[in-house]
Amino acid sequence: MPRRQGYALLIALLAGTAVLAAATVFGTTLLSGRHQAPPPPAETHAAARNPVAPANTGGNWIATWTTAPVGPEPNTDNGFPGSTIRNVVHTSVGGDAARITLSNLFGTVPLRVDRATVNTRPVTFDGAASVTIAAGGQVVSDPVVVPVAPDSDLEVGFRTPRPGGPVTYHPNSHQTSYLADSRGTWSTTSWRYLTAVDVRNESVPGTIVTLGDSLTAGSGSTTDANTRWPDVLADRLGGRYGIANAGIAGNRLLIQGPSGQAGLVRYERDALSVAGVRTVIVAIGINDIQQAPQETDAGRIVAGLRALADQARARGLTVVGATLTPFEGYRTWTPERNAVRLAVNEQIRTGTVFDTYVDFDEVVRDPAAPNRVLAAYDSGDRVHFNDAGYRALGERIDLLSLEQAAGTPESDEL
């Protein structure tokens, strides 16, 4: 089977949907030889097959914040009737107006929202104060004129007046949000229903999306400190680009696991359809190696990463890959699994998988024991990082190269 058809088959099998168009590859030389497509997931939630309207249609809109929907929240078969959900998010860029995306991706019945606000400013949907979101669907609000500052917390609130079925959520957000009803208000670290906040900004050229697992989502970082590596990157960019974090703790590239749809399945929704996307940074694959069932063939992981790169290039986007970081000392580490990681990294470093790459492995490994995370960066479990480790990752990315790849003129400030 020709290589290009192999990539298309890989995507189609994993998504469980129609075969995706083959991507046009430019500016890179592909490795010779054929790669076997990974198997389809054993089980894919029905909502994954329901198309949703992209949030990047119409107007000059830039994503200042996103999160990836993970699944249906346990023990929420009736939703939160009569409750107000107050999601607190941290912005990357500012603007003079905002719009929000609400998702019922994992719901099984229509979800009713009868009032919504952004920093207390009322939000409408096609001119109405209320909206019903179909099971498996999403809605994008009307613009609301509200000043949004970069690098600041923003509260998006909305009320669900009646039972709405399982709640679409993102747990382990490392951000304090709130849930309120007639009995009181409770803090939570889950984001519910909200998947994007876009801003209107004439001067920002676009958004950089970071697709990854727990290391992108920020597991091990300090709650409410906004020290995930995409946050560090946003701080360094200083509002010149939006940053959209599509990391999910435990997420895998090739197959669906307990922590969300496979990266190949959710890529279109969580990365390529983000408002203003210009560049995608891909940092995923380590869970395919260390989680059961373990992937033992580095070639299959590399083929999956190439498929992501091809899809991005087909949209005219730049795609940056990250090497896989060490995990010796973690309970699932074995020399054989580590060998798979090293083989994947070797292919990434050849420059034939992505347009360019960032060597996260080199940044955080212990020079004296290169299969281990440097102690100063270790959150304590030998696989996730502390705030210093995430800062090191965010600072490793070359801003000049990143901005030039996305089409921004060279800046004297860099």
Side-chain angles (χ1 to χ4, degrees):
M1 176 184 293
R3 184 184 302 113
R4 188 72 61 210
Q5 292 177 8
Y7 295 157
L9 177 59
L10 180 149
I11 300 164
L13 287 173
L14 284 166
T17 56
V19 176
L20 299 178
T24 301
V25 179
F26 57 90
T28 186
T29 303
L30 295 176
L31 293 180
S32 60
R34 298 183 178 94
H35 299 295
Q36 181 183 4
E43 179 179 350
T44 301
H45 194 281
R49 299 188 292 271
N50 293 334
V52 293
N56 63 344
T57 53
N60 184 37
W61 292 93
I62 304 296
T64 187
W65 171 92
T66 68
T67 194
V70 174
E73 183 172 359
N75 305 313
T76 61
D77 290 345
N78 289 322
F80 293 106
S83 297
T84 297
I85 296 164
R86 295 161 50 197
N87 292 297
V88 177
V89 305
H90 195 75
T91 65
S92 56
V93 295
D96 61 6
R99 68 182 187 187
I100 63 174
T101 301
L102 301 181
S103 173
N104 192 24
L105 179 63
F106 296 100
T108 56
V109 298
L111 171 70
R112 184 71 172 174
V113 172
D114 65 357
R115 63 172 178 259
T117 58
V118 173
N119 277 1
T120 73
R121 300 282 183 93
V123 176
T124 60
F125 303 86
D126 287 332
S130 61
V131 67
T132 299
I133 310 168
Q138 71 175 23
V139 296
V140 181
S141 77
D142 300 329
V144 53
V145 178
V146 56
V148 176
D151 192 23
S152 64
D153 286 347
L154 188 77
E155 183 177 293
V156 178
F158 44 87
R159 182 176 181 269
T160 54
R162 59 191 188 216
V167 174
T168 296
Y169 86 135
H170 180 107
N172 306 314
S173 69
H174 312 289
Q175 189 96 37
T176 302
S177 294
Y178 302 93
L179 182 66
D181 62 17
S182 59
R183 299 168 296 171
T185 301
W186 292 267
S187 63
T188 175
T189 55
S190 291
W191 287 312
R192 296 178 171 97
Y193 297 122
L194 181 71
T195 58
V197 178
D198 306 330
V199 294
R200 187 172 59 197
N201 189 314
E202 298 293 334
S203 63
V204 172
T207 297
I208 298 165
V209 181
T210 62
L211 181 87
D213 48 38
S214 58
L215 303 181
T216 299
S219 295
S221 66
T222 301
T223 297
D224 296 327
N226 301 300
T227 52
R228 315 163 190 86
W229 71 258
D231 297 322
V232 175
L233 178 59
D235 291 342
R236 294 180 64 214
L237 286 167
R240 295 195 297 275
Y241 267 83
I243 297 292
N245 190 330
I248 295 178
N251 200 227
R252 300 173 64 134
L253 171 67
L254 300 180
I255 65 171
Q256 177 167 317
S259 299
Q261 298 162 347
L264 278 165
V265 173
R266 66 186 185 90
Y267 188 52
E268 169 71 29
R269 180 189 67 236
D270 294 344
L272 302 184
S273 295
V274 166
V277 58
R278 299 287 292 273
T279 298
V280 181
I281 303 177
V282 174
I284 195 169
I286 193 64
N287 289 325
D288 296 78
I289 297 170
Q290 64 91 12
Q291 286 184 0
Q294 286 86 12
E295 177 54 67
T296 60
D297 183 353
R300 287 157 62 87
I301 295 173
V302 172
L305 295 174
R306 277 206 182 94
L308 297 184
D310 284 355
Q311 287 187 73
R313 295 187 189 108
R315 302 289 188 90
L317 307 177
T318 300
V319 59
V320 180
T323 53
L324 307 181
T325 52
F327 68 107
E328 184 178 359
Y330 192 60
R331 56 183 175 79
T332 61
W333 188 90
T334 68
E336 294 76 17
R337 292 167 190 165
N338 188 61
V340 177
R341 178 183 73 89
L342 296 177
V344 172
N345 285 349
E346 181 180 3
Q347 293 301 309
I348 291 173
R349 291 183 179 114
T350 65
T352 62
V353 180
F354 301 103
D355 295 325
T356 187
Y357 72 93
V358 56
D359 205 334
F360 280 176
D361 171 43
E362 185 178 68
V363 173
V364 299
R365 69 192 183 200
D366 186 340
N371 294 318
R372 288 180 176 265
V373 174
L374 190 69
Y377 295 155
D378 185 4
S379 68
D381 64 3
R382 304 297 179 90
V383 66
H384 298 103
F385 309 123
N386 56 24
D387 292 347
Y390 287 120
R391 176 159 296 281
L393 294 182
E395 290 179 345
R396 179 56 178 254
I397 299 169
D398 182 75
L399 296 189
L400 182 59
S401 297
L402 186 67
E403 292 188 90
Q404 286 178 335
T408 303
E410 184 173 343
S411 170
D412 293 335
E413 298 178 0
L414 293 175

